[in-house]
Amino acid sequence: MRILILSRKRSLYSTSRLREEGEKLGHRMDVVDPLRCVLHMGPDGPAIHAGGRSLPRPGAVIPRVGSMGTDYSVAVVRHFELMGVPVLNGSDAIGRAKHKLACLQILASRGLPVPDTLIARYPKDLDRLMKLLGGPPVILKLLRGTQGTGVIFAENRSSVESVLETIWSLGEDILLQRFIAESKGKDVRALVLDGRVFAAMRRTGPPGEFRSNIHRGGVGEGITLGKPYERAAIAAARAIGLNAAGVDMLETADGPVILEVNASPGFEGLEEATGVNAARELVRTAAHTARRKRR
């Protein structure tokens, strides 16, 4: 099968690993930068061009949509869908996952456990808002942040007020979220593929760091998820509509709390921590999804 990876760079760990494992499985693996794709709409229907030529029609597409050019990349995925090409994760689902507020709204509406979260513009009663979150301290999250960027730990009221005024003055929106002290500096990442948890790890940040992202110096440890965490991860991926998802959760005394659902999860740290071949399983899931959709 010809499988196309939509990725900004061939040299990225995830991209090179997907190519490597896909070729071992007998697939022809192509890589195209979504931002270099030209979307053609005309009387003959949708088509996609890249590098001055029409792209050969792939049997499946694996989108790796990052933080740069998200809207355009999602439009490229949608174009493939309109052409009838099976995609690992659909454009609508990727859009929901990439929008932190929309993602939390959907999860909460399904009764899934998420942190107490508020979003407001120019609130008159900041003290009341923080009281709803059991703080200070509280966590502030930019809607466009990724890999731990745009996440701020505000220890007191004046810090919260200062950050909010700055962000609002730039015309940006920001989430206010309850700080869960027992999970400070650690979380759980579960890789959900086709409705099951394939692998999971616990990430622990360096001393003094409240974020646990591997890209920020965190360390991963392979774990077996308890049933409540496994059910929460699968339900979160299903609620957003993703065939492949990285679900980030906090471990609390009351059970799992879902932080985020990622449509293009990095898996370098997961492969190192668990020894599993996540790249191979992602390619297999893409191929299986394509065959199932054709049937």
Side-chain angles (χ1 to χ4, degrees):
M1 181 184 296
R2 180 191 289 267
I3 298 178
L4 176 66
I5 305 168
L6 288 176
S7 172
R8 293 300 320 282
K9 292 182 180 179
R10 291 173 175 266
S11 59
L12 292 173
Y13 177 89
S14 58
T15 306
S16 61
R17 286 285 293 127
L18 289 168
R19 287 183 65 200
E20 176 187 5
E21 294 301 325
E23 289 169 356
K24 287 180 181 178
L25 291 170
H27 300 295
R28 175 168 179 175
M29 306 297 293
D30 298 325
V31 180
V32 171
D33 181 350
L35 300 190
R36 293 183 179 272
C37 289
V38 176
L39 307 184
H40 185 189
M41 293 143 280
D44 295 327
I48 297 181
H49 304 267
R53 60 184 177 86
S54 178
L55 277 179
R57 184 184 181 89
V61 173
I62 300 178
R64 300 292 300 177
V65 177
S67 58
M68 182 179 292
T70 297
D71 291 344
Y72 194 86
S73 297
V74 170
V76 173
V77 177
R78 184 183 304 113
H79 218 68
F80 276 112
E81 290 176 290
L82 294 172
M83 293 166 60
V85 176
V87 297
L88 177 59
N89 284 325
S91 57
D92 288 343
I94 295 171
R96 289 189 288 268
K98 297 295 289 185
H99 195 288
K100 285 184 171 62
L101 175 58
C103 185
L104 285 171
Q105 286 174 314
I106 293 168
L107 295 176
S109 72
R110 300 292 181 89
L112 295 172
V114 297
D116 279 342
T117 305
L118 298 173
I119 185 167
R121 270 295 188 103
Y122 310 107
K124 296 180 180 179
D125 190 355
L126 182 57
D127 292 325
R128 181 173 176 273
L129 293 181
M130 287 197 295
K131 187 176 181 180
L132 288 172
L133 299 177
V138 298
I139 301 294
L140 305 175
K141 289 185 177 180
L142 286 172
L143 296 184
R144 301 184 186 184
T146 183
Q147 295 181 347
T149 60
V151 181
I152 303 160
F153 177 67
E155 294 188 74
N156 51 55
R157 186 192 187 286
S158 61
S159 297
V160 175
E161 189 172 24
S162 175
V163 172
L164 291 180
E165 288 179 352
T166 301
I167 297 302
W168 286 333
S169 70
L170 297 173
E172 297 286 344
D173 290 315
I174 191 167
L175 299 175
L176 293 82
Q177 207 162 69
R178 179 185 292 270
F179 172 61
I180 302 175
E182 61 197 279
S183 297
K184 183 178 181 180
K186 59 182 180 179
D187 68 5
V188 167
R189 159 66 64 88
L191 179 62
V192 179
L193 300 175
D194 213 5
R196 65 186 180 91
V197 173
F198 176 69
M201 67 175 172
R202 180 180 293 112
R203 303 183 295 189
T204 304
E209 175 59 70
F210 74 95
R211 293 163 292 190
S212 56
N213 304 74
I214 300 294
H215 286 83
R216 308 193 72 84
V219 177
E221 168 197 4
I223 60 172
T224 300
L225 283 184
K227 287 297 181 183
Y229 290 83
E230 184 176 344
R231 287 193 294 267
I234 293 171
R238 184 182 298 118
I240 303 303
L242 295 169
N243 291 316
V247 182
D248 296 341
M249 299 175 285
L250 295 179
E251 297 172 286
T252 77
D254 297 322
V257 173
I258 302 167
L259 289 177
E260 290 187 18
V261 183
N262 302 278
S264 301
F267 51 83
E268 180 176 6
L270 186 72
E271 289 194 329
E272 291 179 355
T274 64
V276 303
N277 194 328
R280 181 178 60 195
E281 199 65 20
L282 275 161
V283 174
R284 282 178 170 170
T285 302
H288 176 68
T289 299
R291 296 188 190 104
R292 185 172 58 213
K293 288 185 177 180
R294 281 200 298 269
R295 289 198 298 268

